[in-house]
Amino acid sequence: MTKTDEKNILNILGHEVLPGTSTTINFNIAKLYTSTKVEIPVIIERSFKPGPIVLITAGIHGDEVNGVEVVRQIIAKKINKPQRGTIICIPVLNVFGFLNMNRFFPDGRDLNRVFPGKKNGSLASRFAYQFINEILPVADFCLDFHTGGASRFNAPHIRVDSKNEKLVAFAKIFNAPFVLFSKNLDGSLRATCAKKGIDILLFEGGKSQSSCKEIAREGVEGTMRILHHLEMLNANFTTPKPKTDSIIINKSMWLRAKYSGLLHIKVPISKHVEKGEVLATITDPYGKMRHIVKAMNPGYIINVNEAPIVYQGDAIFHITKEMIDE
């Protein structure tokens, strides 16, 4: 069941979008203190043939450029022109943060912690309310693209709640290198979709304020596999074949710095390491201290802190915990 009326007309943001049309609607969210309107382009591609409505978003955190690049490529390569149904792309949700290369809204709030928002709340909360009430209801399926925060580089992976068997199956179809089982966080778009019964996959890959071709490729190709599964991928495209099945992550742990100093990473992201393997060194600036960081257990490196300097207690590696260690 798709969310259009009996004439297959899509009603969104006060507009009627007919089958077989390409439309961009400017979502007016606020004004700057110069009275300049702040608008977010909502790019809609509809097939003549009825089908699901897929909503593809990025930039909930304004500095997560890699997610924006994934959606940009989907549009630029015309992957968003469906064989059936409708594809709605919003490359930048947090335009305020994107302009400033900042994670947050101007009110200092994290947009992905205030959903479903409040009509008369803070700026971020008001935007969340508008999005949840004026755009999200039309969607049958959502893809939301993120990256690691600060200097932490995420291996490409899909996050899903392990209890949702349907989404676990979709995650395997997307076929990122990893699938990480994680609970929905209160106030997140993912949690709100779950409460409303809307299927959503959250993709993580790369780090903020950075663009990585390999990560973008994983995001684009995974999207194509989902669209193919939904019989929406345009016949002009060949569905990318995955090299291997996704590695399922049930448990993981953070390895934190025992000393402050200069961080020298010795292993690449996504590598499988053995217990006791050297992962990094931490040194002082004066050539007197050199601390070796070793893996506490075997597993895959799914996040690396690429900051040149760390403080004691900073997270520097996220490592999976294998079944044998449980």
Side-chain angles (χ1 to χ4, degrees):
M1 180 70 68
T2 57
K3 299 174 182 178
T4 52
D5 64 20
E6 64 276 3
K7 296 180 181 179
N8 198 26
I9 297 174
L10 173 66
N11 293 281
I12 182 171
L13 294 170
H15 295 259
E16 290 188 346
V17 185
L18 299 174
T21 59
S22 301
T23 307
T24 297
I25 300 172
N26 287 323
F27 181 24
N28 188 343
I29 63 167
K31 288 184 179 181
L32 300 176
Y33 21 72
T34 58
S35 296
T36 304
K37 290 182 180 180
V38 178
E39 296 179 326
I40 295 175
V42 178
I43 300 161
I44 304 170
E45 294 284 349
R46 302 206 67 204
S47 171
F48 282 107
K49 187 177 180 181
I53 300 175
V54 174
L55 174 62
I56 304 175
T57 57
I60 280 183
H61 300 125
D63 59 354
E64 295 185 356
V65 182
N66 223 116
V68 176
E69 173 61 14
V70 172
V71 184
R72 184 201 71 79
Q73 287 192 26
I74 289 169
I75 298 167
K77 296 177 180 180
K78 304 187 186 309
I79 297 167
N80 64 323
K81 290 184 177 291
Q83 189 75 14
R84 71 179 187 121
T86 302
I87 298 176
I88 303 172
C89 290
I90 309 179
V92 184
L93 272 176
N94 181 0
V95 68
F96 294 103
F98 188 70
L99 288 170
N100 297 313
M101 275 294 99
N102 187 290
R103 181 179 180 86
F104 304 104
F105 254 61
D107 57 10
R109 287 171 170 80
D110 183 337
L111 177 60
N112 210 30
R113 296 296 180 272
V114 299
F115 287 107
K118 294 180 180 179
K119 185 176 182 179
N120 297 312
S122 68
L123 180 60
S125 185
R126 290 178 185 223
F127 171 76
Y129 179 87
Q130 286 181 278
F131 176 82
I132 293 300
N133 286 279
E134 297 185 41
I135 296 178
L136 186 63
V138 307
D140 298 299
F141 188 91
C142 299
L143 288 165
D144 189 30
F145 291 90
H146 290 257
T147 73
S151 297
R152 298 183 180 91
F153 192 107
N154 270 324
H157 66 271
I158 292 289
R159 291 187 185 180
V160 290
D161 186 341
S162 62
K163 296 178 182 178
N164 192 322
E165 295 181 0
K166 182 180 180 182
L167 284 183
V168 171
F170 270 117
K172 292 178 180 179
I173 292 166
F174 189 101
N175 204 240
F178 300 97
V179 173
L180 176 63
F181 289 158
S182 67
K183 295 180 181 179
N184 296 328
L185 296 174
D186 290 341
S188 68
L189 176 58
R190 188 157 64 109
T192 301
C193 286
K195 290 176 182 177
K196 291 182 176 293
I198 299 173
D199 294 327
I200 182 171
L201 291 183
L202 186 152
F203 175 88
E204 283 272 1
K207 65 178 181 179
S208 59
Q209 298 188 18
S210 179
S211 186
C212 173
K213 291 182 179 180
E214 290 75 19
I215 295 295
R217 185 186 69 251
E218 292 287 354
V220 171
E221 291 185 353
T223 300
M224 293 175 71
R225 286 189 281 269
I226 290 291
L227 294 177
H228 172 76
H229 175 76
L230 296 173
E231 299 179 350
M232 295 176 69
L233 186 65
N234 195 289
N236 294 328
F237 293 100
T238 300
T239 307
K241 293 183 179 180
K243 296 178 181 178
T244 58
D245 292 336
S246 298
I247 296 167
I248 306 298
I249 303 169
N250 291 288
K251 291 186 178 181
S252 57
M253 61 171 287
W254 283 99
L255 194 158
R256 297 183 178 274
K258 293 183 178 180
Y259 300 90
S260 301
L262 306 176
L263 179 64
H264 311 274
I265 302 296
K266 304 297 183 184
V267 292
I269 192 74
S270 301
K271 183 179 189 293
H272 185 274
V273 297
E274 301 298 332
K275 182 177 181 179
E277 185 171 341
V278 175
L279 306 180
T281 59
I282 298 175
T283 65
D284 65 10
Y286 314 109
K288 296 185 179 296
M289 184 271 286
R290 184 174 182 270
H291 170 70
I292 297 176
V293 180
K294 295 182 179 181
M296 302 298 291
N297 60 274
Y300 290 92
I301 304 293
I302 57 173
N303 184 285
V304 174
N305 189 341
E306 295 185 343
I309 298 173
V310 293
Y311 283 97
Q312 186 179 31
D314 282 355
I316 49 178
F317 293 102
H318 197 188
I319 308 176
T320 65
K321 293 188 72 174
E322 299 180 345
M323 298 294 288
I324 192 172
D325 293 327
E326 294 182 357

